[in-house]
Amino acid sequence: MSGFNNIVILTGAGISAESGLNTFRASDGLWENHRVEDICTPEALAANRELVLDFYDQRRAALRTVEPNAGHLALARLDREWRGELLIVTQNVDDLHERAGATRLLHMHGELMSALCEECGGRVPFGGAMLDGTVCGQCGAEDRLRPDVVFFGEMPYGMERIEAALAEADLFVSIGTSGAVYPAAGFVQMARHAEIETLELNLERSAGSGWFDETRLGKASQLVPLWVERMLDI
């Protein structure tokens, strides 16, 4: 691979799984023994707020027990050293990319360490337990904070910025994604239609593998550092 200047990278649950975080949906269709419909929809929040808040409180606590792995660290290095344009778009709600040092980053599905105020719409950093009671730091509303996570049926963050970056990109790389969750699953099709070179790094072939120019199979902690090393040596 040579002649690239602008890169868009999409990361999914596969890159964080090696740090010890469960992928979003296991083979049995459950996430941490819950149906997705029970903990990741606006309807679930309205029907059983305590269950949803407790679920994400537990995920937030679990996040504090893990560390970025070699895949995260390699992308952070690319972020620091790549002289062209770069945007890392992650479907993950964890903060492992930030903790590794990445800054050119967009969380399209929201952030676990952030809260969304249902009163004023503000997004505020949050690292505690919502079940303990909350106060919005922007409007002062009590117990109106919810996880700043994009539920099914809600619009992902930053779609205009992502589409603009893809329109200017020379290379699109997908790392650790299932290729089954839209709109992210459609990014490779957008890239191909724009005649952008595409590369998939994944543990196994994704649902969208057929759209990629090249697929490399293996652990993200092994594949990503090798790819970054090669890109920075060009």
Side-chain angles (χ1 to χ4, degrees):
M1 289 187 173
S2 61
F4 300 120
N5 186 54
N6 301 338
I7 306 173
V8 174
I9 300 170
L10 174 69
T11 68
I15 195 170
S16 292
E18 291 188 64
S19 288
L21 293 178
N22 288 349
T23 54
F24 182 78
R25 197 186 297 229
S27 58
D28 57 7
L30 301 178
W31 187 23
E32 301 284 357
N33 298 315
H34 290 277
R35 294 191 316 146
V36 171
E37 296 81 359
D38 293 336
I39 43 84
C40 198
T41 65
E43 294 78 14
L45 184 66
N48 196 337
R49 187 179 186 87
E50 183 173 317
L51 173 67
V52 173
L53 296 188
D54 180 59
F55 178 84
Y56 288 97
D57 283 351
Q58 292 185 46
R59 305 285 73 71
R60 208 173 293 111
L63 179 56
R64 290 192 288 269
T65 70
V66 301
E67 298 293 335
N69 61 55
H72 297 105
L73 295 171
L75 290 182
R77 179 191 173 199
L78 185 67
D79 188 0
R80 289 192 305 271
E81 300 181 21
W82 187 254
R83 295 184 179 181
E85 295 295 323
L86 173 72
L87 179 63
I88 301 170
V89 179
T90 185
Q91 296 173 276
N92 301 333
V93 297
D94 62 64
D95 63 351
L96 297 179
H97 281 303
E98 290 96 329
R99 284 158 58 187
T103 59
R104 289 187 275 183
L105 177 68
L106 190 159
H107 281 270
M108 65 177 297
H109 290 163
E111 302 177 55
L112 197 53
M113 302 301 286
S114 174
L116 176 66
C117 180
E118 296 173 292
E119 192 70 27
C120 70
R123 302 175 69 191
V124 296
F126 188 89
M130 291 186 177
L131 280 181
D132 291 342
T134 60
V135 177
C136 176
Q138 294 189 16
C139 72
E142 296 185 2
D143 298 323
R144 294 290 288 158
L145 296 184
R146 54 158 273 189
D148 188 14
V149 172
V150 176
F151 291 153
F152 281 94
E154 296 179 333
M155 180 63 67
Y157 290 121
M159 287 302 298
E160 290 186 3
R161 181 182 173 193
I162 295 168
E163 291 172 3
L166 281 169
E168 298 295 326
D170 308 303
L171 173 65
F172 171 70
V173 183
S174 176
I175 301 171
T177 67
S178 67
V181 179
Y182 283 83
F187 292 166
V188 63
Q189 298 174 37
M190 295 170 59
R192 287 296 299 272
H193 290 153
E195 299 183 348
I196 299 167
E197 191 157 336
T198 56
L199 170 66
E200 177 181 42
L201 306 177
N202 214 0
L203 191 60
E204 57 189 24
R205 294 182 69 85
S206 71
S209 285
W211 286 95
F212 287 90
D213 294 309
E214 181 183 357
T215 294
R216 301 176 190 172
L217 300 181
K219 293 182 177 181
S221 61
Q222 297 172 352
L223 293 179
V224 178
L226 290 173
W227 173 71
V228 168
E229 188 73 37
R230 182 178 178 187
M231 291 299 293
L232 294 176
D233 283 345
I234 291 175

